[in-house]
Amino acid sequence: MYSLYNYVKKVTLGEDDEPEANAQDRQRAEYVETPSMQLHRVHALLLSSTGYDQVYVGLQRYYDLVTTSELPTTQTEEQWQASTHTSLAPISPMDVAKVDEIYYSLRAKMEDASRNNDDTSLLKICRLVSLLQRIRVLHSQPSQGPSVLPATQDEGLAAYLTFLRKLVLDHAVKLTKSLFPNMTHTRSDEDGQGGMDTQTSWEGSTHASADLKDTGVSCLTALGEIYSNIIDLVEYHYPLVSHGFGQNAAPYMVAQLHEQSDKHTSSIFTLLMQHYNLSKVLEQMMTLDAGVRPATPPNAGSEVLYRDPLELDELLDVMARITSYSQKYVNVLKQRVGSTPAKVVRGYGPGGFLDLDHLLGSIQLVLGYYLPLEDRYLRAAMTRAISDNLPPIADVSQTVAQSLAETSSIYDDDDPDEEQGKLYSGIMDDIFFLLRKVSRRSMSTLSAHTACSVLFLGLAAGGLEVQWIGAVRDRLLAYQRTMAIALAAFGKLEEDANTPRFIMLLNDIERASEYLQKLKDELEGDAAKHFGADAPRVQQCLQDAAPVHMTLLGLLNHFIPWFAGSIAPRISPLLVHFHSPAVSYNMNEADYERAEVNDPFMSAFIAGLHSILSPFIKDVSGLSVGNRDRVVAHIAGHTAQLIEADVMAYHRFTPLGAVQLGKEVRMLVDYFSSLGSGGTLSYKFVRLSQMAQLLNVDRLQEVVDYWDGDSKAAWRLTQEEVKVLLLRRTDLAPDQISALRLY
């Protein structure tokens, strides 16, 4: 008779040479399989070296058979399928002995794989040991039924994590042996696992900073590589451990690897603090704040590490990198651990089983020094940039003497000033390079609080608004005083050597507004990249840039009108010819034809305007595009007001004269629009254009139609002004004009 047991053995060992013929036996074998037969199958697989994965599947099948009690009986197949089984199957002493035999065999293989650093085989064997341990617990306590082993009691998991901790230890020792030459590490056998646990002893170790060219860089490199190694191990092994030992095992692995690395990183942090002596550096900066500077060079007894806050730049870069490396590491571990309950493992901190308190404390210690040192560096660098690039103030007496001795303007090409030939000073590039550097450096710390503090210091409390804007405002007021003296003495701003410097600072303010918006947009993107859920908090801090932007526009709105108003008085003399008998709008046809050939007024007026404005609107050493638009708009508005008053007071108009006025108004609008960066300045000449339109009416009824039409709300002239203007027409009856009813 065919032996089903032999068939099971043949299938197990891959000796089934007639799969189709034995299909019925294969199906029957699934129903007659007993736990004992399954153990024999597992043992056969283990002896045949067919692979640990098949052994695990077979062992898991045995565990399922035992725990589900779905065992073959003498019943028929239909009766067996219809029956229910709720209790554990009876376990024979032979099964217990066989399980123990497999267990100890795998323990030996596990130790061999660990010694040979065979990660792949070790993981598979440790999974088997973990499952066998659960089976052995079930054998010893069958009344309790199947249960899940806590991570701390899982022998297979413990062995595999010890192997991973050894990898961390070996890597860290290799990196830190030059920093800590007296460091020792030992292996303990507390769990009877043949030296699978590792410990590190730092007692008596001393750093070799005197033998290193740059201990700080070496420590930083070692710290970064230790973190990277842990992160790589966690990312690679997390799914493997979770799948092999259960979901709670992977967070436990994270905690164990961090516990191992924390011994090394803590010592590196200590060495970094000793090497850079941050407390001494901050103490010296506070001494410098008080105005006390060391008068003697540093010596062995009293070393002066830094004599100027500007020397802190490299140190601040290192501090930012330390916190960046550490915080990224913390974020990865927290992300992996998630909401795993603390009861999964033993003795980890009150906030959760992953004890990051010591590392987070080290990060906060570095940040506690970083912030006040960054503040002092920023203020010192801002002061240096301002003092190096802010244009000086020319002495008023020298300016007057130079103007009396020379007939040429300071804007003449053959008499260049030191600011001649450029629209901007170098100060804005320096200032915003500095702001960008310190802002991005603070964001690289991955601390939202630190980033917000530095952004506030840079944009408001200690940087752009207080230092630079304050210095620019004071310098503009000083220039304004000297320019007012030159204007009173000579009637021209060009005669003052401070005028091009005044213009350059106005241009710098406009550029600062543009740079500030670009910086804000860039930093908002950086915040989204660095801070995740905390990004809105940092982006909200960037809104502090909005008041600074308004302050910059306020400076322009204060000084541009004054500057344009200082030029405006020179326009009035150009209108003297407009008042003379040579310019008349009481034209007949012959007069109109002569005016078309030889313009009596507007061409000469525009030429005079251009000679006044050209020194300030040149592409080089003049006003920037935005400031040019502002000044030209002010001048255009002032010019329109002057001509409006003269039209109302001095001239009489025939219909042809009104046509001539309309043509001249369009010429003036076109000229001012050509000076701007785009668009038209016709809005500055709305009243003057409406005056020309009214003077061109053929009948008074047209005035009523205009006034009562859809464009009534756009009229800038009052009823009285309309009537006064119409009285300037020589061919309209005054009584009819007075009788007009404009509602």
Side-chain angles (χ1 to χ4, degrees):
M1 182 178 177
Y2 190 95
S3 171
L4 284 177
Y5 177 79
N6 289 334
Y7 172 74
V8 170
K9 184 176 180 181
K10 288 176 63 179
V11 172
T12 300
L13 299 178
E15 300 173 358
D16 184 11
D17 53 356
E18 299 180 10
E20 294 183 2
N22 296 325
Q24 185 177 4
D25 289 338
R26 183 192 301 274
Q27 185 176 8
R28 290 179 62 206
E30 295 178 359
Y31 294 106
V32 301
E33 186 180 32
T34 66
S36 296
M37 291 176 64
Q38 185 63 27
L39 275 181
H40 282 288
R41 182 180 185 181
V42 169
H43 192 253
L45 286 170
L46 192 60
L47 293 176
S48 65
S49 302
T50 57
Y52 293 117
D53 291 335
Q54 294 184 41
V55 175
Y56 185 86
V57 172
L59 200 59
Q60 184 65 52
R61 175 60 180 162
Y62 169 81
Y63 184 81
D64 293 340
L65 287 171
V66 174
T67 56
T68 59
S69 187
E70 296 177 351
L71 303 176
T73 67
T74 57
Q75 299 171 322
T76 64
E77 180 178 326
E78 291 76 10
Q79 291 173 332
W80 178 75
Q81 287 181 330
S83 64
T84 58
H85 309 275
T86 57
S87 61
L88 291 177
I91 301 171
S92 68
M94 293 183 62
D95 289 352
V96 174
K98 182 63 69 175
V99 167
D100 289 345
E101 179 184 354
I102 296 173
Y103 172 76
Y104 288 112
S105 174
L106 287 174
R107 283 295 301 264
K109 292 179 180 292
M110 180 175 68
E111 294 172 5
D112 290 340
S114 178
R115 280 192 294 268
N116 296 328
N117 290 329
D118 187 353
D119 189 355
T120 303
S121 297
L122 180 63
L123 175 61
K124 295 177 180 180
I125 297 172
C126 288
R127 289 177 61 199
L128 288 169
V129 171
S130 178
L131 182 54
L132 282 166
Q133 186 183 2
R134 290 163 57 196
I135 294 172
R136 296 181 75 199
V137 171
L138 190 64
H139 286 175
S140 62
Q141 301 173 349
S143 61
Q144 295 185 3
S147 61
V148 178
L149 287 175
T152 55
Q153 300 176 17
D154 192 325
E155 295 176 6
L157 176 61
Y160 190 64
L161 294 188
T162 301
F163 170 75
L164 294 181
R165 286 175 66 113
K166 175 178 173 294
L167 295 181
V168 173
L169 174 66
D170 292 344
H171 181 264
V173 168
K174 180 180 177 181
L175 290 172
T176 57
K177 63 181 180 180
S178 60
L179 300 174
F180 301 93
N182 296 333
M183 175 194 66
T184 60
H185 65 277
T186 59
R187 299 185 180 182
S188 65
D189 193 18
E190 296 175 358
D191 300 328
Q193 299 175 17
M196 297 298 290
D197 194 19
T198 55
Q199 296 180 352
T200 302
S201 174
W202 301 96
E203 294 182 4
S205 65
T206 58
H207 68 81
S209 59
D211 300 328
L212 294 173
K213 296 178 65 176
D214 193 342
T215 302
V217 174
S218 300
C219 287
L220 190 61
T221 302
L223 190 66
E225 293 193 17
I226 290 175
Y227 288 150
S228 297
N229 181 54
I230 297 295
I231 291 173
D232 291 343
L233 286 174
V234 167
E235 294 294 339
Y236 179 76
H237 289 90
Y238 196 93
L240 299 177
V241 172
S242 180
H243 174 71
F245 301 97
Q247 293 183 349
N248 288 337
Y252 180 53
M253 175 199 69
V254 174
Q256 288 287 298
L257 296 184
H258 168 67
E259 182 184 44
Q260 181 65 52
S261 69
D262 198 38
K263 300 174 183 178
H264 306 274
T265 56
S266 298
S267 298
I268 294 176
F269 262 103
T270 301
L271 179 55
L272 280 168
M273 297 298 288
Q274 292 174 354
H275 175 72
Y276 286 108
N277 203 357
L278 297 180
S279 60
K280 179 68 175 294
V281 174
L282 182 57
E283 180 183 345
Q284 291 180 354
M285 292 301 106
M286 295 173 65
T287 301
L288 291 175
D289 290 343
V292 179
R293 288 183 174 272
T296 58
N299 53 65
S302 178
E303 183 181 7
V304 179
L305 302 179
Y306 296 94
R307 290 174 172 272
D308 192 319
L310 295 175
E311 300 173 4
L312 296 172
D313 194 23
E314 183 177 349
L315 172 61
L316 291 168
D317 283 340
V318 171
M319 297 172 73
R321 289 174 62 190
I322 291 172
T323 56
S324 177
Y325 291 166
S326 303
Q327 194 61 53
K328 286 179 181 177
Y329 169 76
V330 168
N331 291 345
V332 170
L333 298 195
K334 284 185 174 181
Q335 181 182 9
R336 278 303 188 180
V337 169
S339 58
T340 304
K343 65 181 180 181
V344 172
V345 294
R346 69 195 188 312
Y348 285 89
F353 76 87
L354 180 63
D355 186 7
L356 296 170
D357 292 346
H358 188 272
L359 178 55
L360 291 175
S362 298
I363 295 173
Q364 290 304 314
L365 178 63
V366 174
L367 290 176
Y369 286 111
Y370 168 81
L371 193 55
L373 293 178
E374 185 73 273
D375 174 32
R376 284 161 175 81
Y377 170 77
L378 175 62
R379 287 190 282 116
M382 188 79 72
T383 301
R384 174 69 61 83
I386 293 171
S387 62
D388 288 349
N389 294 281
L390 200 63
I393 303 174
D395 185 72
V396 177
S397 60
Q398 293 179 0
T399 299
V400 173
Q402 178 183 353
S403 301
L404 292 174
E406 301 176 4
T407 58
S408 61
S409 168
I410 62 171
Y411 282 91
D412 291 344
D413 293 336
D414 57 352
D415 185 25
D417 189 84
E418 62 178 351
E419 286 82 21
Q420 187 78 0
K422 55 182 181 179
L423 290 174
Y424 307 96
S425 69
I427 191 171
M428 291 321 305
D429 291 333
D430 291 349
I431 291 293
F432 277 90
F433 174 81
L434 172 65
L435 289 176
R436 182 176 182 270
K437 178 172 70 174
V438 299
S439 298
R440 299 192 71 181
R441 179 161 62 198
S442 69
M443 287 190 175
S444 72
T445 65
L446 304 185
S447 167
H449 172 75
T450 300
C452 287
S453 298
V454 172
L455 289 173
F456 176 74
L457 292 173
L459 297 176
L464 189 63
E465 186 168 15
V466 173
Q467 286 185 268
W468 183 74
I469 293 180
V472 168
R473 182 189 295 109
D474 293 342
R475 189 58 53 92
L476 285 172
L477 290 172
Y479 290 155
Q480 191 180 46
R481 289 190 291 269
T482 66
M483 291 164 65
I485 295 173
L487 188 65
F490 308 105
K492 294 182 179 181
L493 291 176
E494 301 94 305
E495 299 297 338
D496 185 16
N498 288 317
T499 298
R501 299 164 184 170
F502 180 87
I503 292 174
M504 187 180 293
L505 279 187
L506 293 180
N507 295 343
D508 285 341
I509 293 174
E510 185 200 22
R511 172 172 280 191
S513 182
E514 298 172 2
Y515 280 9
L516 189 62
Q517 186 59 46
K518 291 180 180 178
L519 179 63
K520 179 174 174 290
D521 294 342
E522 180 181 351
L523 294 179
E524 284 182 346
D526 289 345
K529 179 174 66 176
H530 287 307
F531 295 105
D534 283 338
R537 175 186 173 190
V538 179
Q539 291 168 343
Q540 183 62 38
C541 294
L542 283 167
Q543 297 307 315
D544 288 337
V548 179
H549 180 74
M550 297 304 298
T551 301
L552 293 170
L553 292 181
L555 286 177
L556 292 178
N557 291 335
H558 175 77
F559 287 102
I560 288 288
W562 176 86
F563 181 75
S566 300
I567 301 172
R570 297 172 59 185
I571 298 175
S572 297
L574 299 178
L575 292 174
V576 172
H577 185 62
F578 189 63
H579 306 156
S580 68
V583 178
S584 174
Y585 293 94
N586 190 4
M587 292 181 173
N588 53 33
E589 291 187 7
D591 295 332
Y592 183 77
E593 290 175 358
R594 283 194 298 272
E596 283 192 320
V597 176
N598 185 18
D599 178 40
F601 169 68
M602 189 54 65
S603 296
F605 180 72
I606 290 175
L609 273 176
H610 194 71
S611 66
I612 294 172
L613 296 177
S614 59
F616 311 112
I617 61 176
K618 294 187 297 185
D619 291 336
V620 179
S621 73
L623 290 161
S624 62
V625 173
N627 287 338
R628 182 193 308 172
D629 291 346
R630 294 181 179 91
V631 170
V632 168
H634 279 284
I635 297 298
H638 179 73
T639 302
Q641 291 176 2
L642 293 177
I643 296 178
E644 289 168 16
D646 287 350
V647 167
M648 299 282 279
Y650 287 102
H651 290 284
R652 304 276 293 173
F653 296 88
T654 63
L656 288 175
V659 172
Q660 176 65 22
L661 177 65
K663 182 173 66 174
E664 291 178 348
V665 170
R666 289 190 293 275
M667 289 174 60
L668 192 59
V669 171
D670 291 343
Y671 167 71
F672 276 108
S673 297
S674 69
L675 299 180
S677 59
T680 178
L681 286 175
S682 57
Y683 70 94
K684 290 292 184 179
F685 297 91
V686 171
R687 281 173 52 87
L688 190 57
S689 298
Q690 290 178 354
M691 292 169 70
Q693 182 181 2
L694 288 174
L695 288 171
N696 273 280
V697 298
D698 295 329
R699 302 176 294 108
L700 288 178
Q701 184 59 39
E702 293 180 31
V703 178
V704 178
D705 294 340
Y706 286 150
W707 189 266
D708 295 336
D710 294 337
S711 60
K712 178 178 180 181
W715 280 92
R716 302 289 182 85
L717 300 173
T718 65
Q719 297 181 24
E720 291 74 14
E721 288 175 329
V722 170
K723 292 182 179 181
V724 170
L725 184 64
L726 292 175
L727 289 173
R728 308 308 297 175
R729 277 282 294 268
T730 58
D731 57 330
L732 297 179
D735 56 337
Q736 293 180 1
I737 295 173
S738 300
L740 281 176
R741 294 293 182 266
L742 302 176
Y743 301 104

